[in-house]
Amino acid sequence: MSYASLWKPAPSFYPMPNTGTILDISAGSWVKGHKGQMILNGGFALFWSIAALPNMGKSTIAAACCGAVLRAFPNASLHVHDTETTMVAERVERLTRLGMGAPSKYNRVPENLLSDGRMFFTNSVDYDGTQWFEMVKKFAKLRFKEEKRIQLEILNPQDNKPYEYFNPVIEFCDSFSGLKAESAVTMLAENSVGTKDMNMLAMRVNSGKSQIVDQINDLAARHGIYFLATAHVGASYQLDPRSPTIKTLKWLKGDIKLKRVPENFSFQTGNCYIITHFSPMLNGTGKDAMPEYPYEPGDEDKQTDLIEIKVTNQRGKFGISGVPLVLVISQKDGFLAYMSNFVFLKDDASKFGFEGNDRNYTLAFCPDIKLQRTNVRLKFRENPRLQHAAYILVNLYWMFTYWTEFDDDLRCTPTQLYEEIKAMGYDWDLLLDSRFWFMPIEEGKDIPFISAMDLLRIRAGRYHPYWYPKSRKEMGLPEPVDVDVIAVCAVPKESTGK
């Protein structure tokens, strides 16, 4: 008998639904799928957070990421708990629904998530932090006893069978900084402002929240409840100027700290993103400035719509920390995953996968779609294939730049990948007319799937999409020789977080 046989082994991983942005590959890993595909398990962790100064887009990004989960899991549900009583339900519903992407034959988007029963709101008027968390635990016990698990397209490496888990239930707490435990609410109600007892409020608030944070990860993993919390940041003040500044998060710049959250919040979250940059996207300066990427050609609206945001993962348990990641939000249409991917490739990735010059260009996988600064938003908005292509290119760039121990036969340029797969007889329109997000097997069985790793394996002769209309034999190609992919995420020496 071995010592290990006495123990129940932990799961190799827990499912992390995709968001469609660089947040997936930067904090994810490849896992095997039930039909030979490779699936990126990354994006929406069981417990993660987005923090920023006020009015910097954290709730907008969070809502859209929730929408991406609802897209992939048609029976998932979203509970939004407003701790500051400032949310407008209809606005957040719209931002979440826009995060699901445009309706298509592969993507059912309801007219309204609230009336459809997939989303509901509560706030701190009716539920303080203690009551909110006790209600979540009550639901968790009921679902563990009564709810049937679903089979995911991901394989469980422990038995090589489809991963069985619950349909995601998302708890979106906006914000955790504003959450008050019952003891804090009682103190506020029973004491007057300025009294000595009220001076203990901050300690009482964080004590209760610390107890909640300590329980979240186990509760989430056991019951398939995904926790997403926003938080505030602000200046950190030293009462004693001679005391050294101690940072709980290594990559925070200057005297900045998370506000009104307990210390364990910074190390219990799987990913702790902090928005470090917020800038309108304009072409030109002063009164002559115009939108860098107008809504459509000829749009003369000078209002600031697109905002470039940079987030840094301060505490990443699934990938690299300290690397600024570009995201784009629209004040009109919320978080734009496709524009985030495009801007990252163009600016941060030095035009990786671009063909052409600064004024006229294409993406390597979509050479027939001609892009210019003034038509980019329109072209992406109208073409899901272009969106898929940009997402794949982001994944390729990140892997080739930041990952080590990567199989040599999988490395190539985007142009090589396109040309060689085309030469094999594959139709790129068919390949891109698919989804990149994993789903439950039942809901995803009729929807084609392709990932960046699948494309690399197709080129290397390791894989043929299970759904492709022609077999390799019909295409005059040898049968694929499937071998385990070696692709390990590691921090290279040049990654300094700057």
Side-chain angles (χ1 to χ4, degrees), residues 18 25 29-33 36-41 153 365 388-389 391-393 395-396 399 417 421 428 430-432 434-438 448-459 463 465-467 485:
N18 306 130
I25 190 66
S29 58
W30 296 101
V31 296
K32 290 184 177 180
Q37 73 274 46
M38 291 297 291
I39 292 172
L40 180 57
N41 184 46
E153 294 172 326
F365 304 152
H388 196 171
Y391 179 71
I392 290 170
L393 287 167
N395 289 345
L396 294 177
M399 288 189 291
L417 185 62
I421 287 180
W428 270 93
L430 279 179
L431 293 175
L432 294 175
S434 59
R435 59 182 164 93
F436 55 80
W437 57 88
F438 69 88
F449 172 91
I450 204 78
S451 68
M453 187 61 75
D454 286 343
L455 292 172
L456 294 177
R457 293 163 66 226
I458 289 173
R459 171 185 168 270
Y463 177 67
Y466 60 89
W467 50 267
V485 171

Side-chain angles (χ1 to χ4, degrees), residues 156-395:
N156 187 334
Q158 294 181 343
D159 58 13
N160 213 35
K161 295 179 180 179
Y163 202 116
E164 294 191 353
Y165 207 49
F166 293 103
N167 263 305
V169 168
I170 304 171
E171 284 292 331
F172 173 22
C173 179
D174 193 15
S175 67
F176 207 81
S177 298
L179 191 73
K180 300 181 188 69
E182 184 178 40
S183 58
V185 174
T186 301
M187 179 178 283
L188 284 169
E190 294 181 352
N191 294 279
S192 300
V193 174
T195 61
K196 63 179 181 179
D197 289 333
M198 288 292 279
N199 292 335
M200 297 296 292
L201 178 63
M203 185 178 297
R204 186 68 61 87
V205 166
N206 277 348
S207 174
K209 288 195 280 194
S210 177
Q211 295 167 18
I212 291 174
V213 170
D214 276 340
Q215 300 177 65
I216 284 181
N217 276 315
D218 287 347
L219 182 73
R222 183 177 175 84
H223 303 97
I225 302 174
Y226 289 75
F227 288 81
L228 169 56
T230 61
H232 296 291
V233 300
S236 176
Y237 300 102
Q238 291 287 111
L239 295 179
D240 183 354
R242 295 168 295 181
S243 297
T245 300
I246 300 175
K247 291 186 177 182
T248 56
L249 292 169
K250 178 181 177 181
W251 304 107
L252 274 178
K253 305 295 185 183
D255 298 327
I256 299 296
K257 63 176 287 186
L258 291 168
K259 287 289 191 178
R260 299 190 69 180
V261 298
E263 182 184 11
N264 59 352
F265 186 85
S266 64
F267 57 81
Q268 290 282 13
T269 46
N271 294 309
C272 182
Y273 295 101
I274 293 186
I275 296 174
T276 56
H277 173 83
F278 182 94
S279 176
M281 302 185 72
L282 297 172
N283 184 47
T285 58
K287 64 180 182 179
D288 295 325
M290 298 292 290
E292 183 174 3
Y293 301 107
Y295 191 76
E296 57 190 8
D299 181 9
E300 299 297 329
D301 187 357
K302 292 189 177 183
Q303 294 183 7
T304 303
D305 180 39
L306 289 190
I307 307 291
E308 180 180 291
I309 287 173
K310 288 200 174 180
V311 302
T312 303
N313 197 347
Q314 303 288 333
R315 177 70 173 98
K317 295 185 179 180
F318 314 108
I320 296 172
S321 300
V323 178
L325 309 173
V326 64
L327 302 175
V328 175
I329 62 173
S330 161
Q331 298 195 69
K332 182 187 301 180
D333 293 331
F335 178 38
L336 299 180
Y338 55 83
M339 285 303 296
S340 299
N341 294 332
F342 168 80
V343 173
F344 173 82
L345 290 169
K346 181 175 180 291
D347 297 339
D348 290 38
S350 302
K351 297 185 174 63
F352 181 83
F354 277 55
E355 303 285 345
N357 54 47
D358 288 342
R359 296 179 65 86
N360 300 281
Y361 41 86
T362 62
L363 294 188
F365 304 152
C366 301
D368 296 332
I369 302 177
K370 309 302 181 184
L371 300 174
Q372 296 178 329
R373 178 184 63 81
T374 55
N375 73 2
V376 162
R377 286 184 72 179
L378 176 66
K379 293 290 186 179
F380 268 95
R381 194 166 60 244
E382 293 181 343
N383 200 316
R385 292 174 186 161
L386 192 63
Q387 297 177 26
H388 196 171
Y391 179 71
I392 290 170
L393 287 167
V394 166
N395 289 345

Side-chain angles (χ1 to χ4, degrees), residues 433-487:
D433 190 17
S434 59
R435 59 182 164 93
F436 55 80
W437 57 88
F438 69 88
M439 300 180 70
I441 289 176
E442 182 60 30
E443 284 86 348
K445 62 184 179 182
D446 297 322
I447 308 176
F449 172 91
I450 204 78
S451 68
M453 187 61 75
D454 286 343
L455 292 172
L456 294 177
R457 293 163 66 226
I458 289 173
R459 171 185 168 270
R462 296 193 190 185
Y463 177 67
H464 181 73
Y466 60 89
W467 50 267
Y468 201 76
K470 291 183 179 180
S471 67
R472 297 265 298 192
K473 183 177 181 181
E474 291 172 319
M475 297 170 67
L477 300 172
E479 288 302 306
V481 179
D482 188 24
V483 294
D484 287 342
V485 171
I486 299 177

Side-chain angles (χ1 to χ4, degrees), residues 2-71:
S2 69
Y3 178 47
S5 67
L6 298 176
W7 297 81
K8 179 181 178 181
S12 300
F13 56 82
Y14 289 99
M16 292 189 287
N18 306 130
T19 67
T21 68
I22 197 170
L23 302 183
D24 300 344
I25 190 66
S26 64
S29 58
W30 296 101
V31 296
K32 290 184 177 180
H34 71 309
K35 289 194 174 182
Q37 73 274 46
M38 291 297 291
I39 292 172
L40 180 57
N41 184 46
F44 209 105
L46 283 167
F47 180 27
W48 64 296
S49 65
I50 305 174
L53 292 167
N55 201 33
M56 289 187 72
K58 53 186 179 292
S59 299
T60 298
I61 295 170
C65 289
C66 291
V69 179
L70 299 183
R71 170 181 62 189

